[in-house]
């Protein structure tokens, strides 16, 4: 099993079917398979062999996807590198993960200590043969990619995902998320993101069409392009979901023809989900998972409205447990540590035994989330273990407070963090982005009407926009630093 193998079959059975559509061109499966061969030949000629580590810091183009598949075809390992990083950031990642080569765009600054290559060969226009003898066998357990998780301090953690792991994740995308070979899949986030990369490879493995619509583009343009290109499915990060809803001022949905829209990568609060279902797309799946472990649960429009604050039902092929502090199973409805496993789950972090010992236990992955499973089998996340606020000995989960704040008509974004307190150890601070000026007193009274007194934020900070990590998640460490700088 090699995830690039099916490209041969697609090139034979549907050679003219579009594999990748970009804003300026369309690449058929026959062209794409030849392009993958050419990219593999170029990498092979550069000395890359099975097990070699290739960093990719390229633009979001058909070439990016072709090089991903070429690395797979060679039996080498993908190291995702954000092109927006500085040369120093790229160097630290490349050195830590032992990159043999870093693919960069012409003119980009490359780390001096890492061998870099700026591909200038027209892989789709000038094909080169790639000998099958250069492709190793027995791929199912062969490492394929470092699936970097987003850290706000230090370097990202990187579990190694095998060809078999990724195939098992594809099965979740096909069975639970309903992606098929008939889809025209809109990819509107950078391919550096694990979700964008994984869903796009899944579509190519099945023989569907990936429509690349990467940022930055105005929201109105994204709406127009998804419709004009006839997209039937899409991956939209939660931060963009609200922007789409706010930008759509007409009747109905801005994406009326989408068969399914998938939202993942960060929490999609129930209020934003309802807004999306009313204004963005008629069929939304809120997908809860992680780069290390794959999918956990999915909330669909078929689920009853009273479960809207859950993450949905456990996905295909995955087992989920809720554990206490002694790693014993907890009864339904009680909050504890989330643990899960599937054939798509990694087993450790690369070169980080201390972090691996905390996150991987007896074949189970602990993502650092706290939550519970109700009697109907729906999974609920109450917050991150590291985000949990302990005020006077009471555990407080920021996600709950954020969800309440987002129901206020003026609040567009909300993030809750802890701040030091001499009296209680930790206190609650809320960062708010609002559509109109709103007094802190008004938000405090709003919270008091829906939360216990000890959960009401003691401090409100107003910002035009919340800071985000390179993965698009709210950077809560940056918010805590702001509190320290502004006592």
């Amino acid at each position: 099993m090699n995830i690039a193998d099916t490209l041969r079959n697609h090139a034979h059975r549907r050679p003219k079917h579009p594999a990748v559509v970009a804003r300026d061109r369309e690449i058929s499966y026959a062209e794409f398979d030849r392009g993958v061969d050419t990219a593999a030949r170029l990498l092979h000629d550069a000395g890359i062999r099975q097990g070699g580590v290739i960093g990719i810091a390229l633009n979001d183009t058909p070439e990016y996807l072709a090089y991903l598949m070429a690395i797979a075809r060679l039996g080498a390992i993908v190291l995702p590198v954000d092109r927006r990083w500085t040369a120093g950031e790229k160097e630290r990642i490349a050195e830590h993960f032992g990159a043999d080569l870093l693919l960069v765009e012409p003119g980009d600054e490359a780390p001096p200590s890492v061998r870099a290559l700026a591909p200038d060969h027209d892989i789709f226009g000038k094909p080169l043969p790639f000998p099958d003898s250069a492709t190793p066998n027995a791929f199912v357990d062969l490492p394929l990619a470092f699936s970097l998780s987003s850290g706000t301090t230090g370097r990202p953690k990187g579990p190694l995902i095998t060809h078999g792991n990724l195939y098992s994740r594809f099965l979740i995308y096909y069975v639970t998320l309903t992606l098929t070979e008939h889809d025209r899949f809109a990819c509107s986030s950078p391919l550096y993101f694990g979700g964008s990369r994984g869903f796009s490879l899944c579509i190519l493995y099945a023989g569907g069409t990936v429509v690349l619509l990467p940022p930055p583009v105005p929201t109105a343009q994204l709406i127009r392009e998804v419709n004009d290109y006839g997209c039937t499915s899409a991956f939209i990060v939660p931060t963009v979901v609200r922007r789409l809803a706010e930008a759509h001022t007409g009747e109905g949905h801005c994406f009326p023809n989408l068969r399914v829209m998938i939202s993942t990568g960060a929490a999609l609060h129930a209020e934003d989900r309802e807004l999306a279902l009313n204004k963005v797309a008629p069929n939304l799946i809120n997908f809860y998972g992680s780069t290390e472990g794959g999918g956990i649960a999915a909330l669909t429009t078929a689920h009853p409205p009273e479960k809207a604050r859950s993450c949905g039902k456990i996905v295909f092929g995955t087992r989920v447990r809720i554990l206490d502090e002694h790693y014993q199973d907890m009864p339904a409805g009680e909050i504890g540590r989330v643990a899960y496993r599937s054939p798509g789950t990694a087993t450790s972090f690369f070169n980080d035994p201390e972090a691996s010992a905390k996150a991987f236990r007896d074949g189970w992955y602990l993502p650092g989330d706290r939550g519970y499973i109700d009697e109907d089998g729906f999974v609920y996340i109450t917050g991150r273990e590291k985000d949990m606020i302990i005020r006077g000995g009471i555990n407080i989960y920021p996600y709950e407070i954020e969800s309440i704040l987002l129901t206020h008509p003026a609040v567009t974004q909300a993030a809750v963090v802890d701040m030091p307190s001499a009296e209680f150890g930790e206190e609650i601070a809320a960062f708010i982005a609002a559509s109109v000026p709103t007094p802190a007193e008004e938000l405090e009274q709003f919270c008091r009407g829906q939360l216990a007194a000890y959960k009401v934020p003691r401090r409100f900070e107003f910002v035009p926009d919340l800071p985000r990590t390179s993965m698009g998640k709210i950077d809560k460490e940056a918010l805590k630093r702001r509190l320290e700088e502004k006592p």
Side-chain angles (χ1 to χ4, degrees):
M1 180 192 297
N2 182 313
I3 64 160
D5 285 348
T6 58
L7 296 178
R8 303 275 197 224
N9 178 251
H10 302 328
H12 171 70
R13 73 186 181 98
R14 52 190 342 193
K16 295 182 180 180
H17 189 79
V20 185
V21 174
R23 290 186 172 104
D24 57 347
R25 54 198 168 131
E26 181 174 297
I27 310 296
S28 71
Y29 266 100
E31 293 168 325
F32 190 75
D33 185 54
R34 288 195 296 267
V36 171
D37 264 352
T38 301
R41 165 71 179 275
L42 294 171
L43 293 174
H44 189 268
D45 290 349
I48 301 303
R49 299 293 186 269
Q50 178 176 327
V53 178
I54 313 299
I56 301 186
L58 299 176
N59 287 326
D60 301 305
T61 63
E63 283 78 10
Y64 190 120
L65 291 173
Y67 272 101
L68 282 177
M69 284 295 194
I71 293 170
R73 187 163 282 176
L74 276 171
I77 302 170
V78 174
L79 174 64
V81 177
D82 194 338
R83 189 190 173 200
R84 297 169 295 179
W85 288 348
T86 65
E89 290 172 307
K90 293 173 184 175
E91 185 172 44
R92 288 192 294 273
I93 290 294
E95 289 183 345
H96 176 70
F97 291 99
D100 298 289
L101 185 69
L102 178 64
L103 299 176
V104 298
E105 292 291 341
D108 279 4
E109 184 182 8
S113 65
V114 181
R115 183 185 173 205
L117 174 66
D120 59 0
H121 187 96
D122 181 5
I123 61 173
F124 298 119
K126 298 178 181 178
L128 297 172
F130 176 69
D132 288 336
S133 60
T135 301
N137 296 316
F139 276 93
V140 65
D141 294 321
L142 194 70
L144 170 65
F146 289 107
S147 189
L148 303 190
S149 59
S150 58
T152 55
T153 58
R155 58 177 175 261
K157 297 186 291 293
L160 264 178
I161 305 300
T162 67
H163 285 253
N165 289 150
L166 193 59
Y167 173 73
S168 296
R169 297 183 184 195
F170 290 172
L171 292 181
I172 294 173
Y173 304 159
Y174 300 143
V175 175
T176 301
L177 304 185
T178 73
L179 297 179
T180 79
E181 67 172 3
H182 307 293
D183 273 310
R184 290 175 65 87
F185 177 78
C187 180
S188 62
S189 300
L191 289 168
Y192 165 73
F193 285 13
S196 302
R197 190 172 59 251
F199 290 135
S200 295
L201 290 175
C202 159
I203 291 292
L204 292 171
Y205 187 89
T209 301
V210 177
V211 180
L212 291 175
L213 304 171
V217 295
T219 305
Q221 179 181 336
L222 178 61
I223 294 173
R224 184 175 65 254
E225 289 181 329
V226 169
N227 291 320
D228 288 349
Y229 283 109
C231 298
T232 60
S233 57
F235 161 53
I236 308 289
V237 295
T239 53
V240 175
V241 168
R242 178 175 280 270
R243 294 175 194 165
L244 290 167
E246 292 172 345
H248 181 58
T249 57
E251 297 295 324
H253 299 90
C254 62
F255 300 141
N257 299 318
L258 274 188
R259 185 181 59 78
V260 60
M261 186 174 83
I262 302 164
S263 176
T264 189
L268 181 68
H269 294 275
E271 294 70 31
D272 286 342
R273 181 173 180 269
E274 182 179 2
L275 191 63
L277 287 172
N278 289 333
K279 300 191 67 176
V280 181
N283 185 18
L284 170 68
I285 295 181
N286 187 18
F287 182 48
Y288 163 47
S290 70
T291 55
E292 297 86 354
I296 304 174
L299 182 67
T300 75
T301 52
H303 292 141
E306 60 268 23
K307 305 295 185 179
R309 294 191 181 276
S310 78
C311 296
K313 289 275 194 174
I314 298 170
V315 300
F316 175 82
T318 299
R319 292 186 60 197
V320 181
R321 300 167 65 192
I322 305 297
L323 308 177
D324 63 18
E325 63 270 21
H326 303 295
Y327 298 96
Q328 300 299 309
D329 290 295
M330 300 187 70
E334 293 195 16
I335 295 174
R337 294 173 172 169
V338 176
Y340 72 104
R341 69 181 181 191
S342 78
T345 304
T347 57
S348 66
F349 294 121
F350 173 77
N351 200 23
D352 198 338
E354 183 178 349
S356 295
K358 293 179 180 178
F360 298 91
R361 186 180 179 89
D362 300 327
W364 295 83
Y365 174 59
L366 285 75
D369 292 331
R370 294 185 65 83
Y372 64 94
I373 301 175
D374 70 13
E375 294 181 349
D376 298 319
F378 284 82
V379 179
Y380 290 77
I381 298 302
T382 56
R384 298 281 295 167
E385 286 186 328
K386 66 179 182 179
D387 289 344
M388 185 173 68
I389 300 170
I390 304 177
R391 181 182 185 273
I394 300 175
N395 294 345
I396 298 170
Y397 301 100
Y399 181 85
E400 179 187 13
I401 304 171
E402 291 163 357
S403 296
I404 294 300
L405 285 167
L406 285 169
T407 63
H408 189 284
V411 176
T412 58
Q413 300 176 65
V416 171
V417 299
D418 64 274
M419 62 181 185
S421 168
E423 182 178 3
F424 294 104
E426 291 181 339
E427 265 295 2
I428 307 166
F431 283 82
I432 301 295
S435 57
V436 294
T438 307
E441 294 77 11
E442 179 181 329
L443 292 179
E444 180 181 348
Q445 289 303 316
F446 182 79
C447 289
R448 288 189 182 281
Q450 302 180 69
L451 292 167
Y454 63 84
K455 296 181 183 179
V456 175
R458 291 332 192 243
R459 179 170 171 178
F460 290 89
E461 292 287 333
F462 294 88
V463 294
D465 197 14
L466 294 177
R468 306 217 172 240
T469 68
S470 62
M471 298 289 223
K473 298 179 181 180
I474 295 172
D475 190 344
K476 291 195 171 183
E477 293 301 320
L479 295 177
K480 292 179 184 179
R481 290 195 295 271
R482 289 192 190 188
L483 291 175
E484 294 172 359
E485 295 166 358
K486 183 183 174 184

